[in-house]
Amino acid sequence: MTALPLTLSAEVVTARTRGLPLVALESTIITHGMPWPQNVETARAVEAAVRAAGAVPATIAVLDGTVHVGLEPAELDRLGQAQGVMKLSRADLAICIAQGRTGATTVAATMLCARLAGISVFATGGIGGVHRGAEHSFDISADLHELARTPVTVVAAGAKAILDLPKTLEVLETLGVPVIAVGQDDLPAFWSRESGLKAPLRMDTAREIAAAHRMRGALGIAGGQLVANPIPVEAEIPRSRIQPVIETALDEAEARGIAAKAVTPFLLQRIFELTDGRSLVANTALVLNNARLAAQIAAELV
Ligand code: PSU
Ligand code: MN
């Protein structure tokens, strides 16, 4: 048998010994989703938000072939400035580890690593989904399939409006993934509180979400849950403002032939530039908000 190269941060070890609630955090948002130094500042603020809400953060990444569940401050600094970091999904995780390389985990790979470490709740910004034009490109994020397979509850601010949201909901339904809007009927759309689409399910408390997670496990149904938590009102960019920016970024991506793994990072970077950084302020606010809710759900589960 191959030994698992897995290491836990000091804080995560203590949390496990004491049975404290843990919240997994992804690292692609750090390496491919935000520019330095805001990426590291945000990652630290998100970890602090988890702690303030009574849980312990476990930021996940692969460093030189070892899966880190929980990053020490110096490791986070190094990752936030590193060049050529792999973007890891289900397809790449084993290869990155086997070759001793460094990679940041997407939602899919973070779910896989969280499960390895026995962590049931994970907070992020937005998940990958069905891209616009997927009927031609077949670009559907592996995040959706992971939600169907791996028993982790993922708290996100809905799916980004760069995606085709109706198709994303259809695929999630086909895959048997519950999509739960928090405190409202409408599916949140990342930078905006509303998408104009009704979410399939609604829950108003962390306790209900935790109970649903537990029941799914008790029934032996594979996979997790997608919790769609709307961005706080004061940080929202209304749909009418972000929509034209998204269209511009999408047109540019197409004109430049951006494809596969490069699509999401390209769009995020262009939207950041086109909004003079406002998209990043909103992104940070919604991740913090998701971290707090994830901590509450994790606390309900212990
Ligand atoms: N949403 C963000 N920032 C990100 C991502 C999503 O606000 O950086 C990342 C996540 O790691 C997600 C990944 O899992 O993009 C999806 O990539 P793709 O579309 O290539 O599957
Ligand atoms: Mn893709």
Side-chain angles (χ1 to χ4, degrees), residues 50-119:
V50 170
R51 289 186 198 105
V56 174
T59 303
I60 293 178
V62 178
L63 304 180
D64 304 317
T66 295
V67 177
H68 286 249
V69 175
L71 293 181
E72 304 297 348
E75 293 167 341
L76 180 59
D77 267 330
R78 183 158 65 92
L79 186 70
Q81 296 177 69
Q83 300 292 314
V85 175
M86 290 174 81
K87 176 180 164 186
L88 306 176
S89 191
R90 171 177 273 255
D92 328 272
L93 182 62
I95 290 158
C96 179
I97 299 168
Q99 297 191 334
R101 298 176 63 182
T102 292
T105 51
T106 60
V107 168
T110 304
M111 290 177 76
L112 285 164
C113 296
R115 195 209 45 201
L116 282 176
I119 301 176

Side-chain angles (χ1 to χ4, degrees), residues 3 23 46 55 88 138 211 228 241 244:
V23 172
V46 174
L88 306 176
F138 277 52
R241 280 215 32 204

Side-chain angles (χ1 to χ4, degrees), residues 158-244:
K160 275 193 208 67
I162 57 174
L163 302 168
D164 186 321
L165 297 181
K167 286 194 185 73
T168 300
L169 283 181
E170 289 293 347
V171 169
L172 286 165
E173 185 188 53
T174 301
L175 293 171
V177 177
V179 178
I180 303 160
V182 180
Q184 64 181 37
D185 296 324
D186 204 273
L187 178 77
F190 200 76
W191 296 291
S192 321
R193 285 176 65 82
E194 296 190 344
S195 63
L197 300 169
K198 192 174 186 296
L201 299 158
R202 170 185 174 156
M203 289 182 189
D204 291 359
T205 64
R207 175 164 297 187
E208 285 174 278
I209 297 166
H213 177 102
R214 236 190 254 107
M215 185 54 67
R216 194 173 173 95
L219 291 169
I221 301 174
Q225 312 188 102
L226 177 59
V227 176
N229 189 28
I231 184 170
V233 179
E234 63 280 7
E236 137 169 90
I237 307 179
R239 252 197 301 166
S240 57
R241 280 215 32 204
I242 198 74
Q243 210 57 43

Side-chain angles (χ1 to χ4, degrees), residues 131 139 141 260:
H131 281 263
D139 189 347
S141 177

